[in-house]
Amino acid sequence: MLLQQLRELDQGHLFASWPPPGQADDKKQQLMQQLVHLDASYNGGLAAYIRNAKQLLQDSREGKNPFEGYVPEVPNGERMDFGSASFVEHERQGVKAAAQAAFVLVAGGLGERLGYSGIKLALPVESASGKCFLQVYVESILALQKKACEDQGKPVELELVIMTSDDTHSRTQDLLDDHGFFGMQRHQLHLLKQEKVACLIDNDAHLAVEKDDPYVIQRKPHGHGDVHSLLHSTGLVKKWQGNGVKWVCFFQDTNGLVFRALPAALGVSSKYDFDVNSLAVPRKAKEAIGGIARLRHADGRCMTINVEYNQLDPLLRATGNGQGDVNNEDGWSSYPGNINQLILKVDSYAQSLEETQGIIAEFVNPKYTDASKTAFKSSTRLECMMQDYPKALPSSAAVGFTLVNQVWSTYSPVKNNPADALAKVEAGGPSHSATSGELDIYQVNCRALQMLGAQVDGPQQATFNDLHLDFYPRVVWSPFFAITTDDLKAKFPSPARIHLHRNAMLYIDHFDVQVQSLDLDGALVVEAQPGASVTIDGLQVHNRGWEWQPLKEGNSAAEHEKIRGFTVAAYETEQVKFSEPGNYTLPSKTVLEGEQGSSGDYEEEADASSCQAESKLEHDASRSQQDRQEGNHTVWTSSSEPSPNDYSSEKHGTSDSAVVHSLLHDIMTKAAAEAKGVATETKEAEKLAASSAKSPKPKDEVALKKGDTGTPKGTEETPGHVVPAEAGDKHARTEETQATGSPKKGSKKAKTDIAEATKDLKAEKADNGAAKGVDSAQGDALKPSSPKKAAASASKEAQPSSPVKAAPSSPKKAAASSPKKQAAESADKK
C-alpha cells in the first residue's frame, strides 16, 4: 500500500536502481522499514508530507507572501526595566503563579555548531560554579517550587518536560541518571523524543537518499514546533489541566539568563490573563531576530505572531510604511525581538490541542543555487516552530509580550562557534557565543548588586577568542540562594557594606546565607548542608584568587574551554563549608589572606561529572527496574525516591601542624567555657601552645562571632573557625565548622587532649624534620573533640598539590576540571 502511494507521488527514483530479487534484499528491507517509520511518525503519513512539501515549495519558488492581506501593527505588551519597581512587582506575582506552572525545555540539538561534541545541556553555564545548563534549569525550577511550598504551607511539585531528539535523547537521559535528576523526583521529569522528517532534493519534493547509501533516506529535525503535538499525544497538558496547573512555560536549551526574567513574565501573564505571552528583548531595526507584531487582516482576522526579520521589513513597506522597519526615538525597533521563551495559559492551550492535535503550520526554507530557484544547494525539509502556535488561536485570544529593556539581563544564548561569533560581531551583531554567555552571567549578577547599592568594581576589558568584552567580577550564586530581586535584597541587607574588587570570584551555593558585610579581593566559595544558617558579617578575604587565562593558538584545552577562549586557574580559594545543621556567623573584623606572590601551582585530580560540579541535592543516580519508556515518552517511577547523598568536604593547602594548632585552640576554648577553676590548666595549655610556636603558625585565627554558638539550639558550643594562610603557605585554607552534640568535658579531659595533641605535633615535626613544604590535608570533617584522631588522619591523607585548571568537558567524567570543584576537593573542614 505504502509502496503504491509513493509511486503515485512520483517517488519511483527510490526503487529505480534496485537489483533483481535475491540481491541486496537486506538493504531493500532496511529502506522499506525506514519508509514505514517515516510514514507512521508524521500526521497523515508520508503521502501528506509530500503533498504539503510540493505546495510549500511552489509558494517559496513563486515568492508568495504568507502574510498576504495582513497589515502589521505594534502589539500590546508590558515593557519594564530590569530591577525596577514594576519588574519587582511582576516578579512577586510571578512567583505566586509559578506554584501552578509546568515547564517545557526544548533541547533537541547537539553542540556541533558550537564546536562541542556533547549535548548542549551538558555544557557548563559558567566556570565559577561549573554547573551545566540542565542543572541550573532544574535548580531554578526547584527554587520556585520551594517558594510555592512555603507560600502555600503544603507540598508542591513542579514538572519539567524535556523534548529531545534521536541525537540527544539517550545522552540527556544519562545526564539526568548520572546526577540523580539534579534533585528532582523522577516522576516530575518527562522526556519526549521528537522524530525527524525526510529531506527533499528539488522543487518536486523528491525524497533525498544518502550519497553513500541509496537505501537510506536523508532525515533532519522537523523543528521545535513538534513539542505541541508531543504534549498532546502524551496527554500531559490534559493531565496538568486536571491537576490545577494554569501555565506552561517554554524555554530553550542554552540561555542561562532565562530564569532572571521568567518570574516577571509569569506575573504579566497572570495580571493580564494572557493566552500567550512571549518573553522578548529590544531589537534593532532589521536585526536578524524575529519581531513580534499584531497582524490585522482586511476581513477582520487578527493575530499577534512572530514575523521573521526578513519578512517584517518587506511587509511594512508593502502595507504603506515606506520606511519599513526603522528604529524609534529610543533607538530600537517598535517590534520586540522574539527569543522563543513562551508562557501559555493551560485552559486555552488544552482546547487548542484538542482541535489541532498540536499540529503547527509548516514552512520550507530551501537554499537555492541561483535566482532561478530551480535547484537547491543542499537538501531541505519541512519545518515548524513552537512560536507559531498563536496562528491556531481565534482572533479573540489575548496574546501579548513581556519585554525587559536590558538585553543583558534576559537573553544571552550560546549558539555560535568562535569563528561565527566573531563574524557576527564584525557585522554589527551580538556574538551569542560560549564566551559572551558566561561573561553575561557575571555582568547581570554584578549589576544587580550595584542596583542594590553594593560597591562592585569594574568591569575590566578582556579579549577571548578575539572577542572584546566587558569582564565583571566573577559573581555567581545558586538559584536557591536568590532567584528574584526580593531574594537578593534579603540576602544582602546592607549593600553599602559590600565591596567586590575587580578580581573577586564569589560563589554561594546554599539558600540560607546572608551577606551583611564583605570585602572580597580574591576567591571565596560558601557552601553548606541543609539546616545550616550562615551569616557573613565583616569578612575580608584577600588572596590570589582565580584567573581567567586567554588561550593562545596551539594551547591544548578541553572543548568547552576552546569555545570560550580561556581556561581558569584557581590559585587560592577561601572555601567556607558547613556540614552540620546550626547557626553560623563568619566573624567580624577578620582578614583572610593568602600569601601574595605564592606559586599557587597545584592541581588536584578528582572524579568529575559532565556538569563539572557536584550537586548539593544529588540523589541516587541508578535507574530503578520500574523505570520504563513508553514510545517517545520516558517516565521514571520508583517505589521510594532517592535521598540526598552526603556532600564531602575537604581541605585546601593546610599543613598538619596548622591543623594541630587549630585543634589546640578549639580544645582550650571548650575547656575555658565548660570547666570551673581552669585558670591553672589554661596557663599550662598556653605554655604547651607556646612551646610548639616554633612550627609554622597561622597568622590569624577567626572565632565565631561572639554570642553565636555555631550549634543547633539546645547544644553546647563547639567553636569552629576559618584559618587564614600561614607565612610560607601556598594557598588560603578553610576549616569546616561542625555542629556537634553536647560535650560536657572537665578540665582534666581538656588537659589530656591538649597533651595528646601536642604529642602528635611533636611527632609530626620529627617526621618532617626541617621540611617546609605545603601539604593539602584531605578527608572527612575534623572533630575538635578528637584531636589525636583528626591530626593523625590529616597527616595520613596529606598530599602535595599542583596548578588547578578548569575542567575537561567529558560528558560523563567531568569535574576534574571545574576550578570550584578542585578548590572544594582541597578545602579544610571547619
Side-chain angles (χ1 to χ4, degrees):
M1 179 65 176
L2 177 59
L3 193 61
Q4 182 63 31
Q5 281 185 325
L6 291 173
R7 290 187 185 278
E8 291 174 358
L9 290 167
D10 194 25
Q11 301 296 325
H13 67 287
L14 296 174
F15 321 109
S17 60
W18 277 16
Q23 297 181 30
D25 286 351
D26 56 339
K27 288 284 192 179
K28 297 173 188 175
Q29 184 66 26
Q30 170 188 299
L31 175 61
M32 290 308 301
Q33 288 176 350
Q34 189 180 20
L35 289 169
V36 168
H37 181 77
L38 289 168
D39 184 63
S41 60
Y42 185 83
N43 187 61
L46 263 178
Y49 180 78
I50 293 167
R51 291 190 190 99
N52 293 341
K54 286 184 175 182
Q55 183 61 58
L56 289 170
L57 285 166
Q58 181 180 339
D59 292 346
S60 174
R61 186 178 181 184
E62 294 174 356
K64 185 176 179 180
N65 181 359
F67 300 115
E68 186 71 36
Y70 285 97
V71 176
E73 300 174 354
V74 177
N76 293 324
E78 188 80 27
R79 301 171 188 261
M80 61 188 77
D81 289 323
F82 178 71
S84 65
S86 174
F87 183 88
V88 172
E89 184 54 40
H90 285 104
E91 265 190 335
R92 291 170 183 159
Q93 290 180 258
V95 167
K96 291 184 180 296
Q100 296 172 300
F103 299 84
V104 179
L105 167 60
V106 289
L110 293 171
E112 293 172 335
R113 180 176 167 188
L114 290 167
Y116 179 69
S117 58
I119 60 173
K120 290 186 284 185
L121 285 177
L123 267 172
V125 177
E126 33 69 26
S127 305
S129 72
K131 291 181 178 179
C132 67
F133 279 99
L134 184 53
Q135 180 171 359
V136 171
Y137 293 152
V138 171
E139 289 186 356
S140 297
I141 294 168
L142 290 177
L144 291 172
Q145 176 179 290
K146 182 176 182 295
K147 287 181 174 294
C149 293
E150 293 169 350
D151 182 59
Q152 298 191 8
K154 63 179 182 180
V156 174
E157 289 185 332
L158 305 182
E159 295 188 24
L160 170 63
V161 170
I162 305 175
M163 188 181 77
T164 62
S165 66
D166 285 338
D167 296 326
T168 65
H169 188 81
S170 62
R171 286 193 260 188
T172 303
Q173 189 167 304
D174 289 344
L175 182 62
L176 288 164
D177 285 342
D178 292 345
H179 294 87
F181 306 93
F182 298 109
M184 258 192 178
Q185 303 298 311
R186 288 186 169 109
H187 60 266
Q188 293 177 257
L189 274 161
H190 309 269
L191 298 189
L192 308 182
K193 190 175 76 170
Q194 170 192 29
E195 296 292 344
K196 293 180 179 179
V197 293
C199 292
L200 311 162
I201 54 174
D202 55 32
N203 284 321
D204 293 321
H206 289 123
L207 300 185
V209 295
E210 295 289 353
K211 292 180 180 178
D212 57 351
D213 191 343
Y215 296 97
V216 176
I217 304 291
Q218 284 186 27
R219 301 178 306 141
K220 291 182 180 180
H222 191 218
H224 48 52
D226 279 351
V227 70
H228 300 297
S229 61
L230 287 170
L231 288 170
H232 171 68
S233 63
T234 54
L236 281 170
V237 175
K238 204 71 178 172
K239 184 197 82 171
W240 291 337
Q241 186 181 29
N243 291 341
V245 174
K246 292 185 176 180
W247 310 102
V248 186
C249 305
F250 294 79
F251 59 102
Q252 299 214 46
D253 49 10
T254 57
N255 179 18
L257 298 176
V258 61
F259 279 90
R260 304 306 172 92
L262 193 57
L266 258 172
V268 172
S269 286
S270 177
K271 177 180 177 180
Y272 294 108
D273 199 33
F274 277 152
D275 293 295
V276 180
N277 180 14
S278 295
L279 182 57
V281 296
R283 60 178 286 277
K284 294 291 186 180
K286 304 177 183 64
E287 183 181 347
I289 178 176
I292 300 172
R294 181 170 59 226
L295 303 181
R296 194 177 299 279
H297 198 276
D299 62 11
R301 287 177 292 159
C302 182
M303 61 180 175
T304 299
I305 195 74
N306 172 68
V307 181
E308 291 302 325
Y309 73 95
N310 58 350
Q311 297 174 322
L312 181 59
D313 186 69
L315 182 60
L316 285 165
R317 293 178 185 275
T319 54
N321 189 332
Q323 292 183 310
D325 185 22
V326 295
N327 292 329
N328 57 28
E329 61 276 7
D330 296 325
W332 300 96
S333 169
S334 297
Y335 298 91
N338 170 59
I339 58 175
N340 288 337
Q341 325 286 333
L342 308 173
I343 300 172
L344 308 185
K345 188 167 72 172
V346 166
D347 286 345
S348 54
Y349 186 39
Q351 181 180 344
S352 176
L353 292 182
E354 286 296 319
E355 295 170 355
T356 66
Q357 287 76 54
I359 298 169
I360 300 299
E362 294 173 309
F363 65 94
V364 66
N365 187 26
K367 302 296 187 291
Y368 298 106
T369 55
D370 55 41
S372 67
K373 296 185 178 182
T374 56
F376 302 163
K377 291 181 179 178
S378 60
S379 62
T380 189
R381 85 285 194 187
L382 301 191
E383 299 178 71
C384 60
M385 297 297 164
M386 68 177 182
Q387 66 267 26
D388 285 342
Y389 160 72
K391 290 181 179 179
L393 294 176
S395 298
S396 58
V399 181
F401 66 86
T402 300
L403 184 145
V404 181
N405 290 320
Q406 292 72 29
V407 179
W408 50 262
S409 69
T410 305
Y411 185 60
S412 185
V414 177
K415 59 184 183 181
N416 294 320
N417 63 46
D420 289 346
L422 184 60
K424 295 280 187 184
V425 171
E426 290 173 345
S431 69
H432 289 167
S433 64
T435 314
S436 59
E438 172 161 346
L439 269 57
D440 282 347
I441 296 289
Y442 306 141
Q443 176 180 190
V444 69
N445 289 340
C446 287
R447 294 180 76 161
L449 290 176
Q450 288 173 334
M451 289 177 184
L452 295 182
Q455 181 180 348
V456 181
D457 293 349
Q460 307 174 68
Q461 294 299 302
T463 300
F464 302 117
N465 281 341
D466 295 324
L467 297 173
H468 307 295
L469 300 163
D470 288 341
F471 194 33
Y472 282 80
R474 277 61 75 198
V475 178
V476 179
W477 48 72
S478 159
F480 295 108
F481 173 78
I483 197 168
T484 67
T485 308
D486 282 341
D487 289 342
L488 209 56
K489 289 177 179 177
K491 297 306 173 70
F492 292 91
S494 305
R497 299 172 63 204
I498 306 298
H499 183 190
L500 303 180
H501 297 252
R502 66 178 188 172
N503 291 319
M505 195 296 297
L506 173 64
Y507 174 49
I508 301 176
D509 193 19
H510 183 57
F511 74 92
D512 195 0
V513 177
Q514 187 179 76
V515 186
Q516 294 185 359
S517 175
L518 173 65
D519 187 316
L520 176 59
D521 188 2
L524 171 64
V525 175
V526 182
E527 299 171 304
Q529 287 293 304
S533 179
V534 182
T535 300
I536 297 174
D537 190 3
L539 185 62
Q540 298 179 40
V541 178
H542 298 164
N543 58 40
R544 189 176 175 188
W546 297 8
E547 182 181 0
W548 272 243
Q549 299 174 337
L551 287 174
K552 296 180 180 177
E553 190 173 347
N555 286 160
S556 61
E559 283 182 339
H560 78 276
E561 294 173 325
K562 288 180 179 178
I563 62 176
R564 284 170 160 79
F566 55 74
T567 185
V568 179
Y571 293 121
E572 292 180 300
T573 305
E574 198 59 52
Q575 185 99 12
V576 181
K577 291 189 177 183
F578 299 96
S579 60
E580 299 285 346
N583 299 316
Y584 303 95
T585 298
L586 292 183
S588 304
K589 300 180 181 178
T590 300
V591 176
L592 304 181
E593 192 167 16
E595 273 298 303
Q596 295 304 311
S598 60
S599 67
D601 292 335
Y602 295 90
E603 181 164 23
E604 298 290 342
E605 300 245 344
D607 244 358
S609 69
S610 62
C611 282
Q612 305 165 30
E614 295 179 359
S615 169
K616 284 300 197 46
L617 296 170
E618 185 165 287
H619 289 249
D620 182 9
S622 62
R623 292 183 66 189
S624 165
Q625 290 184 349
Q626 284 88 11
D627 292 356
R628 68 185 187 277
Q629 183 166 317
E630 302 174 348
N632 294 331
H633 181 187
T634 302
V635 183
W636 286 280
T637 61
S638 176
S639 55
S640 60
E641 293 300 331
S643 57
N645 296 327
D646 293 334
Y647 193 58
S648 62
S649 304
E650 296 172 347
K651 297 182 169 289
H652 189 189
T654 307
S655 65
D656 292 349
S657 59
V659 171
V660 176
H661 279 299
S662 169
L663 295 170
L664 284 171
H665 176 275
D666 290 344
I667 295 164
M668 290 164 60
T669 304
K670 280 197 293 180
E674 297 170 357
K676 294 181 180 179
V678 296
T680 304
E681 282 89 357
T682 301
K683 289 180 181 178
E684 184 175 347
E686 290 172 349
K687 289 179 182 178
L688 286 170
S691 69
S692 61
K694 295 177 183 178
S695 301
K697 186 168 182 175
K699 293 187 211 167
D700 225 345
E701 290 185 344
V702 183
L704 288 174
K705 186 176 179 182
K706 188 175 180 181
D708 189 345
T709 64
T711 61
K713 293 180 181 179
T715 65
E716 297 292 327
E717 179 178 76
T718 304
H721 55 278
V722 180
V723 182
E726 311 179 7
D729 203 353
K730 303 296 184 188
H731 280 223
R733 301 171 308 288
T734 309
E735 290 200 3
E736 181 159 325
T737 301
Q738 294 279 338
T740 59
S742 303
K744 294 183 181 282
K745 300 177 183 176
S747 58
K748 206 173 214 182
K749 173 64 177 170
K751 182 175 179 180
T752 303
D753 284 347
I754 293 169
E756 287 287 299
T758 306
K759 181 179 177 182
D760 283 340
L761 173 59
K762 290 178 180 178
E764 183 260 345
K765 285 176 65 181
D767 288 341
N768 291 306
K772 295 182 180 179
V774 178
D775 293 332
S776 175
Q778 299 178 334
D780 291 332
L782 297 178
K783 301 286 185 179
S785 58
S786 180
K788 183 173 182 179
K789 182 177 179 182
S793 173
S795 178
K796 181 179 179 182
E797 295 186 34
Q799 58 186 11
S801 308
S802 347
V804 181
K805 290 206 170 186
S809 63
S810 164
K812 280 203 173 188
K813 281 282 272 188
S817 42
S818 165
K820 182 237 143 199
K821 169 113 186 258
Q822 290 181 337
E825 294 198 334
S826 55
D828 279 346
K829 298 206 163 189
K830 220 170 191 179

